Amino acid sequence: MLNKKLNIKVQKQQLRADLLEQRRKHDQEFILNQSDKMAENLYAWSCYQQANTIMLFISMPDEPSMMKIIEHTWRQGKTVCIPHMRQQFGVMDAAIIDNMDSLVRGRFNLFVPDPTHLKVIDPESIDLIVVPAVAYDYAGNRLGMGAGYYDRFIPQASKAVLIGAIWSSQMVDCIPSNQYDRPVHYLLREDRIISCDVGKV
């Protein structure tokens, strides 16, 4: 069993390195254009329209941009929350943000919820979580950055619909997984939304 776990870890590390190298080649024009298409697909999706509380994320420079989606979600009168990383490695909460002033520069120079005015939300109250990743396969298996934040958080949000945000170019046939990995229900891409149950819209 130990050898199997080690083998999965090594496979993931190699796949992560290869796909991050590929993702980092995208220029800003590509990222913004594809992110706009992704956003339009989300706005038209019934699960998004019906959700009252949505967990999004603040994107790294080479990830799909969530800024327009966050602003649109506010305009729709919905509650927006994003990850707040605790001091304990690998553990996060969902923190409500009301506007861009709710964010400050944090680790890795990324915007994070202001820790002096933190409004943590019960994960059970989240209707929809948009989950970032380095890659997904068509079964919804996720390859993250390796710290396990979402794998630990998602089981606490048992009522939430999970949709992975991913470029179609970052899709792979199969991602090695174990019992701790949490697949998503849908995939949000620039061309369409895919159900991971059936591999189609």
Side-chain angles (χ1 to χ4, degrees):
M1 180 62 72
L2 183 61
N3 286 339
K4 183 180 179 182
K5 287 182 179 179
L6 187 61
N7 187 42
I8 288 175
K9 184 176 181 180
V10 170
Q11 290 179 59
K12 284 186 171 183
Q13 287 173 340
Q14 185 58 58
L15 186 59
R16 183 181 297 114
D18 293 344
L19 289 169
L20 281 174
E21 181 180 5
Q22 175 180 306
R23 191 174 80 179
R24 288 166 181 158
K25 292 177 181 177
H26 297 319
D27 60 30
Q28 281 301 299
E29 183 179 358
F30 171 91
I31 291 170
L32 292 176
N33 181 48
Q34 300 294 78
S35 296
D36 285 349
K37 293 177 181 178
M38 187 178 282
E40 292 300 325
N41 290 334
L42 186 67
Y43 303 157
W45 189 43
S46 61
C47 288
Y48 170 80
Q49 294 170 355
Q50 295 164 12
N52 293 314
T53 301
I54 300 177
M55 187 172 186
L56 295 156
F57 60 93
I58 302 299
S59 312
M60 291 188 288
D62 55 354
E63 287 183 316
S65 174
M66 292 288 112
M67 292 313 299
K68 286 188 176 180
I69 293 175
I70 290 173
E71 291 168 355
H72 183 275
T73 305
W74 280 330
R75 291 197 300 272
Q76 298 303 304
K78 302 175 187 292
T79 299
V80 175
C81 54
I82 62 173
H84 164 68
M85 311 303 180
R86 295 189 199 173
Q87 290 298 321
Q88 181 182 353
F89 180 78
V91 180
M92 72 182 192
D93 298 299
I96 295 174
I97 56 171
D98 302 312
N99 52 62
M100 295 311 297
D101 293 334
S102 305
L103 303 177
V104 296
R105 291 282 183 181
R107 277 182 289 180
F108 313 114
N109 204 34
L110 296 175
F111 283 108
V112 298
D114 186 345
T116 64
H117 297 90
L118 205 60
K119 294 180 282 187
V120 172
I121 193 171
D122 181 355
E124 284 293 305
S125 67
I126 302 173
D127 302 308
L128 177 65
I129 303 178
V130 181
V131 187
V134 177
Y136 281 102
D137 63 20
Y138 285 92
N141 293 310
R142 172 179 176 269
L143 179 67
M145 294 297 288
Y149 283 98
Y150 279 90
D151 291 324
R152 294 181 181 91
F153 179 83
I154 284 172
Q156 303 173 57
S158 63
K159 299 175 184 176
V161 174
L162 309 176
I163 184 166
I166 195 74
W167 309 129
S168 57
S169 60
Q170 298 294 116
M171 296 285 300
V172 297
D173 291 333
C174 182
I175 291 175
S177 61
N178 58 38
Q179 70 270 28
Y180 301 110
D181 295 316
R182 302 287 176 166
V184 298
H185 307 118
Y186 297 90
L187 296 170
L188 172 62
R189 307 195 320 188
E190 74 280 2
D191 57 344
R192 57 182 174 145
I193 289 176
I194 295 173
S195 168
C196 296
D197 293 333
V198 295
K200 60 178 72 172
V201 174

